[in-house]
Amino acid sequence: MSPMHWDWLVWFLKANVIYGGLLGTAAGMTLAERKVSAWMQYRHGPNRVGPWGLLQPIADGVKFIFKESLTPDGANKWLFRCAPALAAIPSMLTIAVIPMGPAIPFIPGDYKYFSITDLDIGLMYLLSIGGLSIYGIILGSWASNSKFSLLGGLRASAQMISYELTLILSILAVVTLTGSLDLRDAVAAQSGAIWEWHVFSQPLAFILFSIAAFAETNRHPFDFAECEPELVSGFHTEYSSMRFAMFALGEYCAMVVIASLWTTLFLGGYNVPFWEDAPWFLCIGAFLAKTSIFLFLFLWVRWTLPRFRFDQLMALGWKVFLPLALANLFLTGAAVSYGVKLW
Amino acid sequence: MVIVRRKDLSLLEKLYLPEIARGLSITFRKLFEKKITRQYPEEPLPTNEVTRGQPRLVVKDDGHIACVSCGMCEIACPAYAITIDGGETDRAIEREPVRFDIDMLRCILCGFCEEACPKDAIYMSNELELADYSRAALVYDMEKLKRPKAALQKRIDYVYRLNNRWRKSSSTR
Ligand code: SF4
Ligand code: SF4
């Protein structure tokens, strides 16, 4: 086999493993969500399908496939069909640039990191593609010809615009420190001791990012696009069957991606603390462990906090988070340009 | 008119984050607490002699049912669930049912049959589960209704205890 074919094979393998992992995690998250919510309410959660309920996501998937897929009267059929894919695909694409570990020694090839692709502007790619998923939500809500859906979609777009700003500004503070939009550089900058992690040098950005991440993924306490008590089910009120499942899948994939981004930017990525050249499997393990912390946080917060009011959400976003993020970015920039070592 | 006075929040409370952390710590502790869900088919409901489950026919210690097919329960039944065909027997009681069906889909578990029976032949058991694949299978015949007296003894004692409140000392037992 020529080296070029070999590289293709390695790339193919990596893509399969990482996408499989992403979809598997998303499916596992649906089970985890129900289990965690149950435990917090003294219940057991799903425990009938398979040992400990582990096969529940598969049962759910089969059920979704066999359900009837309804299209409401007066809906824009074409957009109505496209929207779920448009919502799900961007969040699945963005996992491609996250470096999950170093190269694996026994699979030689022309790659340095365990990620689907090595991109110099990984962050840029991630943010721009990730921002597209809102189109799926807005189009889906518009195409369903229902006022509840439309309201949900409008809220989602307003919320996305306000919180995307905070999210990007808090990421920029980290970018200012590392001086690169490359996620691999962000990881390299945090190697070594645990206090090299950006969570310690950028605590404010860390908190802002974490909160904005909840709003970005439309999760509690900011899930105004769904908001069952007011809007029936928000943007996917009219969706059923696999199309509905696609929206859910998109949401969970977005959660996984945001959690990996959180790990990469603030928690040292795949670095094992105090061990610069840890073996590859420990690195990947560390990455997964750190990511699952944030995934658990998503569930934990969802089943703890009540939903905000929409005007509170907007006021919080524009009057509190945006100024804080701007001030943080300004101070970081000033410190970096005057050569002050912050940490 | 009601004037709602909101609590003045301290600075820490206005920051939200410490309060959120407090809330999170509560839910985290609840994660490990004992579950209160009853895993139904494996952990059945607790029953006792007061439980008024499905009616069952008493089989005496000599192996015969106590019923003499008098038809009292059939008449008492408000749901017309009981169907009895009487027949003769060589035993001292002379009569016994050749057919005794209770349509469990009609039975409302009221216990009137138990009250009506003059021969202590029908009692409410603690059996509550009722599921099958056809309607016909839920019309219980005599074989399905028979229970040894020992299995119903607690209920029998309980009913006697209840009725003793009204029973004159002269009445026979
Ligand atoms: S319990 Fe009531 S309804 Fe059921 S068989 Fe007896 S009398 Fe009829
Ligand atoms: S009342 Fe008692 S003895 Fe009479 S038919 Fe019913 S079960 Fe038999």
Side-chain angles (χ1 to χ4, degrees), chain B residues 151-168:
Chain B
L152 295 166
Q153 194 58 51
K154 269 192 177 159
R155 175 73 185 182
I156 297 173
D157 294 345
Y158 167 73
V159 171
Y160 267 95
R161 216 161 57 237
L162 264 190
N163 292 349
N164 273 340
R165 287 184 295 188
W166 294 282
R167 194 167 269 135
K168 298 260 165 42

Side-chain angles (χ1 to χ4, degrees), chain A residues 321-337:
Chain A
F321 290 159
L322 184 63
L324 276 180
L326 275 173
N328 184 44
L329 179 60
F330 178 76
L331 285 179
T332 314
V336 167
S337 56

Side-chain angles (χ1 to χ4, degrees), chain B:
Chain B
M1 193 174 69
V2 181
I3 298 175
V4 180
R5 295 208 188 284
R6 302 213 184 278
K7 190 184 157 217
D8 286 330
L9 300 180
S10 68
L11 181 68
L12 263 189
E13 284 168 333
K14 276 190 193 144
L15 273 179
Y16 285 127
L17 286 177
E19 292 296 305
I20 287 177
R22 222 154 60 92
L24 287 176
S25 79
I26 289 174
T27 41
F28 193 75
R29 264 177 277 138
K30 300 291 169 195
L31 273 180
F32 306 103
E33 252 164 62
K34 196 175 169 307
K35 317 284 179 260
I36 57 170
T37 316
R38 181 184 303 282
Q39 298 290 302
Y40 167 62
E42 292 94 28
E43 286 174 48
L45 284 168
T47 59
N48 55 21
E49 67 272 18
V50 186
T51 309
R52 213 167 61 211
Q54 299 162 11
R56 291 287 182 263
L57 291 177
V58 174
V59 177
K60 293 186 296 182
D61 297 337
D62 60 6
H64 294 289
I65 59 172
C67 176
V68 293
S69 72
C70 68
M72 300 282 265
C73 54
E74 197 177 7
I75 289 170
C77 179
Y80 306 118
I82 305 180
T83 316
I84 302 167
D85 287 344
E88 291 192 9
T89 172
D90 296 336
R91 288 187 289 135
I93 55 167
E94 292 179 2
R95 277 169 64 81
E96 69 174 10
V98 290
R99 169 176 172 219
F100 195 114
D101 289 351
I102 301 184
D103 187 344
M104 282 304 164
L105 294 173
R106 303 199 66 143
C107 175
I108 53 172
L109 313 179
C110 64
F112 282 7
C113 46
E114 178 188 72
E115 276 181 36
C117 183
K119 297 298 287 181
D120 289 350
I122 190 164
Y123 273 99
M124 309 306 279
S125 65
N126 60 1
E127 293 164 41
L128 290 159
E129 281 159 9
L130 188 66
D132 216 310
Y133 291 102
S134 72
R135 282 165 175 272
L138 287 167
V139 179
Y140 281 14
D141 61 7
M142 220 176 345
E143 287 315 308
K144 277 192 184 165
L145 290 171
K146 277 180 181 172
R147 288 290 178 275
K149 190 168 182 204
L152 295 166
Q153 194 58 51
K154 269 192 177 159
R155 175 73 185 182
I156 297 173
D157 294 345
Y158 167 73
V159 171
Y160 267 95
R161 216 161 57 237
L162 264 190
N163 292 349
N164 273 340
R165 287 184 295 188
W166 294 282
R167 194 167 269 135
K168 298 260 165 42
S169 53
S170 63
S171 74
T172 52
R173 191 170 159 162

